[in-house]
Amino acid sequence: MLLLMANVKWDVKEIMSQHNIYVDALLKEFEQFNRRLNEVSKRVRIPLPVSNILWEHCIRLANRTIVEGYANVKKCSNEGRALMQLDFQQFLMKLEKLTDIRPIPDKEFVETYIKAYYLTENDMERWIKEHREYSTKQLTNLVNVCLGSHINKKARQKLLAAIDDIDRPKR
């Protein structure tokens, strides 16, 4: 999936109305997972809590992978960010038809990351300090790719230093 996401052109000039193929590929995997789970449950009873745990883990992994894919983006326009939102909304809409799991695990993790693309320099520094759930790489990408085009070098270095300060206690 990360390879499919890497092939997407995120620095588009106009807002797209069609989602990207990585969304379809991911949904196809979930459809296959659903079929296999149903086939197994015909032979062996799968308790609902077990089925729910399987779904939750798979969805959480998918959502974490989506954020990782977005963190690998090298160039992104505002229209590209809108495309990320379109892709994720399409994924959620189709996923919710496949499963009764609510709320969708780590939905906010993805949405919060996408919305961070729109923050100003000052808001981004506060956001970085408040959102320790994201990796150093994911935070660094937000600064370099998203804000990189409209902040100066000094401001970028200040934000990267804030990320480094957060990362330091983990070492």
Side-chain angles (χ1 to χ4, degrees):
M1 188 169 115
L2 290 173
L3 288 174
L4 289 174
M5 292 178 81
N7 289 328
V8 174
K9 185 173 169 30
W10 296 107
D11 59 342
V12 292
K13 300 291 182 237
E14 51 190 59
I15 294 178
M16 312 296 271
S17 59
Q18 179 64 37
H19 64 275
N20 284 296
I21 59 166
Y22 74 88
V23 176
D24 295 327
L26 181 57
L27 287 166
K28 190 178 282 186
E29 292 295 326
F30 274 106
E31 288 165 0
Q32 192 173 22
F33 171 71
N34 193 33
R35 279 193 303 274
R36 287 181 178 159
L37 205 56
N38 288 334
E39 287 172 20
V40 170
S41 68
K42 289 175 186 172
R43 293 184 211 118
V44 180
R45 187 182 158 277
I46 301 175
L48 185 60
V50 172
S51 176
N52 287 347
I53 287 171
L54 291 171
W55 272 103
E56 286 172 16
H57 284 292
C58 290
I59 294 168
R60 184 168 282 113
L61 179 60
N63 283 337
R64 296 277 167 164
T65 303
I66 288 170
V67 168
E68 194 59 28
Y70 293 161
N72 290 334
V73 171
K74 302 288 184 246
K75 284 183 173 182
C76 188
S77 63
N78 284 333
E79 294 81 3
R81 292 179 203 120
L83 183 54
M84 290 175 181
Q85 287 181 314
L86 172 74
D87 287 349
F88 190 60
Q89 291 309 312
Q90 179 71 16
F91 170 66
L92 290 175
M93 188 177 71
K94 296 278 175 82
L95 180 66
E96 287 174 347
K97 292 176 182 173
L98 289 173
T99 180
D100 293 328
I101 301 291
R102 302 290 185 279
I104 297 293
D106 280 350
K107 174 183 172 187
E108 296 79 24
F109 183 75
V110 181
E111 290 175 338
T112 302
Y113 191 80
I114 295 170
K115 288 175 186 168
Y117 279 99
Y118 297 100
L119 297 174
T120 63
E121 172 191 332
N122 294 334
D123 291 335
M124 181 61 86
E125 185 172 5
R126 186 175 63 253
W127 189 92
I128 287 168
K129 291 174 181 171
E130 291 172 358
H131 290 277
R132 295 174 178 237
E133 66 268 32
Y134 298 99
S135 71
T136 300
K137 175 190 166 201
Q138 291 165 345
L139 295 171
T140 301
N141 175 271
L142 283 172
V143 171
N144 287 331
V145 175
C146 307
L147 290 178
S149 60
H150 61 273
I151 61 169
N152 62 38
K153 188 176 180 180
K154 185 178 177 182
R156 182 177 327 167
Q157 288 173 334
K158 180 181 171 190
L159 290 171
L160 293 173
I163 293 168
D164 196 42
D165 289 344
I166 289 169
D167 193 38
R168 206 174 306 278
K170 294 180 188 172
R171 294 180 188 154

